[in-house]
Amino acid sequence: MKSLTAGDLEDCLMTKVGVRRQQLSQIVEEVQRVVHQLTTEISHQDIRFQAVPYSDTYNGNIKVLSPSRFLVTVPVKGLAGYREAREQRWRYYTLQGTRLSCPLQDPEGLQQWLEVEQFMKSLWQWHEADVNIEGDIVPAKVLQVFRKLVENAIGTCHLSGKVSMLTHHSAVWVAVETATWQVELELVPTVEIPTAWSEKARWPPCLRRWPSRQRVECIKSFGFALLARSQYHWQLSFLQAEQVLLAQLDEDGGCRSRCLQALRQMKEDVWCPGKRPVITSHHLQTVLFWTCEKYPHLKDWRVFSKAFLRLVRELHKCVSQHFLKHYFVRKSNLLRSANSGDLDAVAQRLALFLKNPQISLP
């Protein structure tokens, strides 16, 4: 271990970032082929699900949360012309078809109900009882249908030696054996809504210098999505909007992107390693967005070492407090369900680093 000069810090971390990028690009390439093959077969078996396209460049349907844990959004088909629900109603149903004496809990934070009548056009299959209860498209029912399709597709595509179902999850997870290491994928049926911006995302608040007003309008034009990840409520997602924000971070010549890459590298190597980390890439980019808002000027992002350590301090604050607001839906805490002990362990490692910034140098 060696104490770092500003130049050492950037050079060493960027070297490691380059190695990681090359390694991950090969893994993503393998995962893409498997996902495309599986979802193409699934789309042939059930018209409600689309194939995830194969892309030679960036694939917006595949989000790398950590080197061995990916989120894959699988678009659904046959729901168009979304509008927000205007009337509130109580739900007394269960997944098993029985009636409750008290209504189901209302959605909170990043969650919402989804009624088939919220779409101006819908395939008749979305009205069927295998996914619909009393007019609601129910994520747990969609996941039941989708899980069977994934299981069948693995066999039909002769991928049993490469892909296996992970059964200890309520969501749909598969393990993929790549040439480098095993990767776990969460395959999530996703309702893409490119024509609207969620009313829950009251963004941006007034008097914010970052991003610019023009950039805000561009980001909002990409809409949002709803992910089937729980029983009754759909989860709001802004993956496309976030990607646009990330892609245009350093148009002024700053070092925000490099800081994020370095932060991710240290998180994976030192602060929060392992197959199922409590802090993911999505948490890190959220910390960056908040820090960009807090420090909107180029002068704060000219010197890598200063900007990087500032970002580490912001991450340490969030992890220590077990509190990280979602960037677009600010009433939602992204660390709410995280294991407290795991967060405390990460906070301790971050504190040690900030006390004496060191990394292993080649």
Side-chain angles (χ1 to χ4, degrees):
M1 299 289 278
K2 174 183 171 183
S3 293
L4 301 173
T5 66
D8 284 337
L9 180 68
E10 183 171 8
D11 291 346
C12 183
L13 284 173
M14 287 302 107
T15 299
K16 290 188 170 195
V17 164
V19 173
R20 177 192 187 274
R21 183 185 290 126
Q22 188 173 5
Q23 214 170 33
L24 265 182
S25 68
Q26 294 168 351
I27 295 169
V28 170
E29 169 82 12
E30 280 191 70
V31 166
Q32 264 208 102
R33 293 187 185 281
V34 168
V35 167
H36 179 66
Q37 200 174 347
L38 286 176
T39 54
T40 298
E41 174 59 28
I42 288 168
S43 69
H44 292 156
Q45 298 304 319
D46 193 321
I47 194 175
R48 290 173 291 193
F49 300 97
Q50 294 186 50
V52 172
Y54 180 85
S55 172
D56 289 327
T57 53
Y58 171 76
N59 192 323
N61 294 95
I62 298 176
K63 175 77 173 175
V64 179
L65 299 178
S66 75
S68 57
R69 211 164 170 84
F70 293 10
L71 172 69
V72 180
T73 54
V74 180
V76 304
K77 194 161 57 172
L79 294 169
Y82 174 85
R83 53 206 165 185
E84 295 278 352
R86 293 299 167 201
E87 293 181 10
Q88 289 189 330
R89 62 183 176 91
W90 300 114
R91 273 88 168 169
Y92 293 89
Y93 59 74
T94 66
L95 299 176
Q96 294 74 32
T98 55
R99 300 291 296 175
L100 298 168
S101 56
C102 296
L104 287 167
Q105 183 178 346
D106 271 341
E108 299 176 351
L110 284 173
Q111 297 179 323
Q112 71 164 67
W113 302 107
L114 187 62
E115 302 172 36
V116 74
E117 296 302 325
Q118 286 179 245
F119 297 92
M120 296 173 72
K121 293 181 180 179
S122 58
L123 285 174
W124 63 266
Q125 286 92 338
W126 289 111
H127 298 256
E128 291 288 287
D130 63 345
V131 295
N132 192 310
I133 303 177
E134 296 180 11
D136 286 339
I137 303 173
V138 181
K141 302 278 279 182
V142 174
L143 286 168
Q144 284 175 2
V145 171
F146 186 64
R147 181 178 288 104
K148 289 177 184 173
L149 290 166
V150 173
E151 288 173 351
N152 293 339
I154 290 171
T156 306
C157 297
H158 308 292
L159 289 170
S160 299
K162 191 176 179 69
V163 182
S164 56
M165 297 291 298
L166 298 176
T167 56
H168 55 282
H169 298 278
S170 56
V172 178
W173 285 83
V174 299
V176 178
E177 301 295 337
T178 74
T180 314
W181 55 63
Q182 186 188 79
V183 178
E184 294 181 355
L185 314 179
E186 184 184 2
L187 303 173
V188 187
T190 301
V191 182
E192 295 178 341
I193 303 169
T195 55
W197 186 255
S198 171
E199 288 184 358
K200 280 200 166 189
R202 295 178 180 176
W203 175 83
C206 298
L207 304 174
R208 287 289 184 268
R209 293 177 181 270
W210 187 92
S212 68
R213 188 177 299 176
Q214 294 84 352
R215 185 61 39 79
V216 166
E217 293 308 311
C218 171
I219 288 163
K220 284 188 167 185
S221 72
F222 284 85
F224 68 108
L226 295 169
L227 311 185
R229 297 183 91 181
S230 65
Q231 286 200 310
Y232 296 102
H233 305 135
W234 290 78
Q235 180 183 312
L236 275 72
S237 169
F238 301 86
L239 288 175
Q240 268 199 295
E242 289 163 356
Q243 189 55 39
V244 174
L245 206 48
L246 286 171
Q248 300 172 340
L249 276 177
D250 292 319
E251 289 183 333
D252 59 2
C255 62
R256 301 168 189 83
S257 292
R258 278 179 293 147
C259 285
L260 178 60
Q261 291 166 351
L263 195 72
R264 187 169 53 206
Q265 192 67 48
M266 285 296 290
K267 191 275 296 183
E268 291 172 5
D269 288 351
V270 182
W271 302 328
C272 189
K275 285 190 69 173
R276 300 180 180 90
V278 68
I279 298 297
T280 69
S281 294
H282 187 255
H283 293 122
L284 299 185
Q285 77 177 34
T286 304
V287 171
L288 176 66
F289 292 158
W290 284 116
T291 310
C292 288
E293 209 174 87
K294 191 174 179 181
Y295 298 93
H297 303 294
L298 173 60
K299 65 181 176 66
D300 297 309
W301 300 96
R302 285 190 190 279
V303 181
F304 174 87
S305 57
K306 288 182 179 179
F308 176 69
L309 291 173
R310 184 193 305 120
L311 201 55
V312 178
R313 284 192 292 272
E314 293 292 335
L315 175 62
H316 177 252
K317 178 182 173 184
C318 294
V319 175
S320 299
Q321 296 176 349
H322 301 186
F323 187 76
L324 173 59
K325 287 189 292 184
H326 189 282
Y327 187 60
F328 294 115
V329 183
R330 303 184 174 209
K331 290 183 179 179
S332 178
N333 176 15
L334 294 178
L335 298 178
R336 180 180 175 183
S337 59
N339 181 282
S340 295
D342 291 344
L343 289 174
D344 290 339
V346 175
Q348 192 172 12
R349 294 186 196 113
L350 287 165
L352 284 171
F353 176 81
L354 287 167
K355 192 174 180 181
N356 186 18
Q358 295 181 339
I359 56 177
S360 298
L361 292 174

